[in-house]
Amino acid sequence: MILDLLYHIIIYPLEIAMQGVLNYSFILTGNYGISIIILSIIVNIVLLPIYYIAEDWKKNGKIIQDKMAPEIEAIKKYYKGQERHYYIQTIYRRYNYHPLSSVKSSIGFLIQIPFFFAAFHLLSNFQPLNGVEFFIIDDLGKADGIIFGINLLPILMTVINILSSYIYIKDLSKSERNQILGLAFLFLILLYNEPAGLLLYWTLNNLFSLLKNFTEKELLKNFNANIIYNYDISIFNWFFKNKENIDKLLKDNKRIARAANRRVTIVIGRSY
Amino acid sequence: MKNNIFKRVFLLILLTTPLYAYLDPGTGSMLIYFIIGIFATLIYSIKNLFYKFKLFILSLKGEQIKLDDNLDIVFYSEGGKYWSLFKPFIQALENENIKMAYYTQDNKDDGLNYKANNLITKSFGNELKATVGMNHLKANIVIMTTPQLDIMRLIRSKGVKHYSHLIHAPTDALIYKKFAFDYFDSIMCSGEHQIESIRELEKNRKLPEKLLLKTGLLYYDTMVKDIAKCKKNITENSKKTILIAPTWGSNSMLTKFGFEFLKPLLNGEFNIIFRPHPQFYISQKELITSIETELKKYQDIVTIDNNPSGLCSMNSSDIMISDVSGIIFDYLFVCKKPIVLVGSKIETGGLEAEDVSKEVWEATVFDKIATVIDENNHNNILEIVNNSLKNKDNIDIENFIQESIYNFGNSAETAKNQILDILNEIKK
């Protein structure tokens, strides 16, 4: 009941929009395989700014949290209960922070979830895909069965995802890696028999994700903190608000330095 | 359709686990962040509500106090022991055309009996009622000795235009608990070292600069007058008198070294006044009882002083042995007699001093104003006391007072002018 209500309010409008894109692409290209590729590209373009905004929010939240951390630690060392609570509240106040800010940081990310659901719902039941041939896929409406009856796309999707995860998240513990692998295989089983059209969309989405992460990582290699520092101070101000802290921040936190690099890369990509 | 719903629910479960990282790398960490955020916000908000609710419920108990309106200045006291600080201030203002109130937490506060035409006095009865009452007060200026305004339960009332903190010790602002002065509008400081410390705290915390007033320490006005009236509380004889005034707790000389190291002083050469901190009888009863039992054997030379005011003992003595606390400065400034300081280490954990690079002022002056003894030389107490008495003129006390305290013995007039200036500014 609640799930259905949520579906109708949030996911259904997206699904209609995605279906519109799919149908319009089909009118233009006459090919559902290409239409799915176009849909995937458009959804990724739409989500890209949201993804970066979300990342920014999260990073900014993290910068404040990192600044507050030693002060909060000192409070926790000496005070308990109500007194500790009030002191921590004062630190939050000084940094203009509320625990809810960390929730705000994640909203950008949450916006992406309905897109996943909408695509899943649309493409797992999209009748026009039935019997449509595309490239080496015989029928976009059925599981592909390309390798002697074994489905290739779910395997490809799984490989791409594992690669992508490993590139993006470097500092994984062994158990986290095992979890990612375990879940990748669970997903493989879950989607294994889904129509090839859905798997094509999903695989492409994850390929974009892999490319996005890979490109960023490669671009970062060409910029180091010093170059950026001298590059354009106004860009820095836009990112950091307070340039006095840049040196210290970059020195203290390699992750922030990386984020700064990427931010500048993005800005340069846009403005130059 | 059923199968579809099942898959959607399954996906939902997968998506709402940190392992969602699998779908789009990076988003997994974002989700953990989200869940922690929700959780932290919930706990934080529940705690906030709980503490507010607790204060409200507790304050309902007993009779409620009606506060007065249209007050120019409210003096808020945590209890009778601060009356010596507020009294000269109120006296200086009692002929001014302003409306004042003295609100105290303490039903036994002597200030409640003070009469002046422009003064109302009231007691809240306890701290909780006082806190709730003060949080809803209407007045132009509130002057108080309570630190941590707007940090703990005592918050800034919307009906008050200016909060001023009246410093009640000659010691550094850095030995207060965290954020002691951050949200006051002005601080009436007793010495330059306090101004330097507060400015450094403001700078480090990027807080706006407060009005820091060079006021002085008001209770010295009272002490200087009262000590002259004080009768000597021991039998007059030719012996020198030692005042032993230990604090309680971990900083106490008695906790650190016991009473044994002081025993050589009971050789009959001196009169001894033993005046432990009142909290000793509550927190370390066993230790103090055993020491007092021992001292009773020396009744002819030892006086145990439990009077509320230590002024007469200070006046009667020739030298004081104490630990790190404000009383050593009172003794030096008001009595101008030598001090033996037992232990000079100042613990700063959890205090304001942690947040600045500056050294606590007291620690920089102990060697100038006292003979400091520690675990290495505390066994030579007799020799140390004799030397201190002999060399008492080596300390330039007058000069030290000038450097450390504004308007010594005469600060009420300055305080009055400072607060009237603020009031005129508000009323403009």
Short mmCIF file of all heavy atoms in Angstrom, two decimals, chain B residues 13 18 92 365 426:
data_model
loop_
_atom_site.label_atom_id
_atom_site.label_comp_id
_atom_site.label_asym_id
_atom_site.label_seq_id
_atom_site.Cartn_x
_atom_site.Cartn_y
_atom_site.Cartn_z
N ILE B 13 15.61 -2.89 -0.17
CA ILE B 13 16.44 -3.33 0.96
C ILE B 13 17.92 -3.22 0.58
O ILE B 13 18.75 -2.71 1.33
CB ILE B 13 16.08 -4.77 1.39
CG1 ILE B 13 14.66 -4.79 1.97
CG2 ILE B 13 17.07 -5.31 2.41
CD1 ILE B 13 14.06 -6.16 2.09
N PRO B 18 24.52 -0.16 3.22
CA PRO B 18 25.76 0.47 2.78
C PRO B 18 26.34 -0.21 1.54
O PRO B 18 27.10 0.36 0.80
CB PRO B 18 26.68 0.27 3.97
CG PRO B 18 25.77 0.06 5.13
CD PRO B 18 24.56 -0.59 4.60
N ALA B 92 27.27 51.71 45.43
CA ALA B 92 27.71 52.80 44.54
C ALA B 92 26.57 53.31 43.67
O ALA B 92 26.57 54.46 43.24
CB ALA B 92 28.87 52.32 43.67
N VAL B 365 53.34 33.61 37.73
CA VAL B 365 53.67 34.55 38.82
C VAL B 365 53.94 33.88 40.18
O VAL B 365 54.43 34.53 41.10
CB VAL B 365 52.56 35.62 39.03
CG1 VAL B 365 52.39 36.46 37.77
CG2 VAL B 365 51.23 35.00 39.45
N ILE B 426 22.11 52.08 26.01
CA ILE B 426 20.91 51.28 25.73
C ILE B 426 19.68 52.18 25.64
O ILE B 426 18.82 52.00 24.78
CB ILE B 426 20.70 50.20 26.83
CG1 ILE B 426 21.81 49.15 26.77
CG2 ILE B 426 19.34 49.52 26.72
CD1 ILE B 426 21.83 48.20 27.96
#
